[in-house]
Amino acid sequence: MVIRMRHTRAHTGNRRSHHALKAKNPSLCKECGHPRLPHTVCANCGMYRGRKVVDVALKTEKKLKKKSKKSEAAK
Ligand SMILES: [Zn+2]
């Protein structure tokens, strides 16, 4: 729905009554105890349903490499 004209404060308030954000529902990772969202890979250890999906160490290494390269280019 498009708001074309000025509305009363009540009208605006009524519309915004649905704008509240819902709290996220994190659960703890079974492997490392780090909080993670359901149906997502743990960002701390890269495990999902008891299986290693993401190599976190390799990823952080890559990120650092990229960052240093970027800072070098800026100089
Ligand atoms: Zn974990």
Side-chain angles (χ1 to χ4, degrees):
M1 203 174 158
V2 184
I3 305 118
R4 283 180 53 224
M5 286 179 235
R6 184 187 180 273
H7 287 296
T8 61
R9 270 193 241 173
H11 197 131
T12 306
N14 280 340
R15 184 177 67 250
R16 288 180 185 172
S17 70
H18 300 282
H19 287 189
L21 295 174
K22 262 191 185 167
K24 291 201 166 173
N25 185 25
S27 56
L28 295 179
C29 174
K30 270 182 193 168
E31 314 297 328
C32 66
H34 198 261
R36 63 166 190 84
L37 293 175
H39 311 288
T40 31
V41 176
C42 175
N44 193 44
C45 64
M47 301 285 276
Y48 184 71
R49 291 184 73 183
R51 198 161 64 87
K52 191 147 195 141
V53 184
V54 180
D55 196 337
V56 178
L58 207 93
K59 229 179 172 182
T60 47
E61 208 174 90
K62 263 188 177 173
K63 243 183 202 171
L64 284 174
K65 230 181 189 177
K66 210 174 180 184
K67 219 178 186 181
S68 65
K69 233 182 194 177
K70 226 180 188 178
S71 61
E72 261 178 45
K75 275 174 194 173

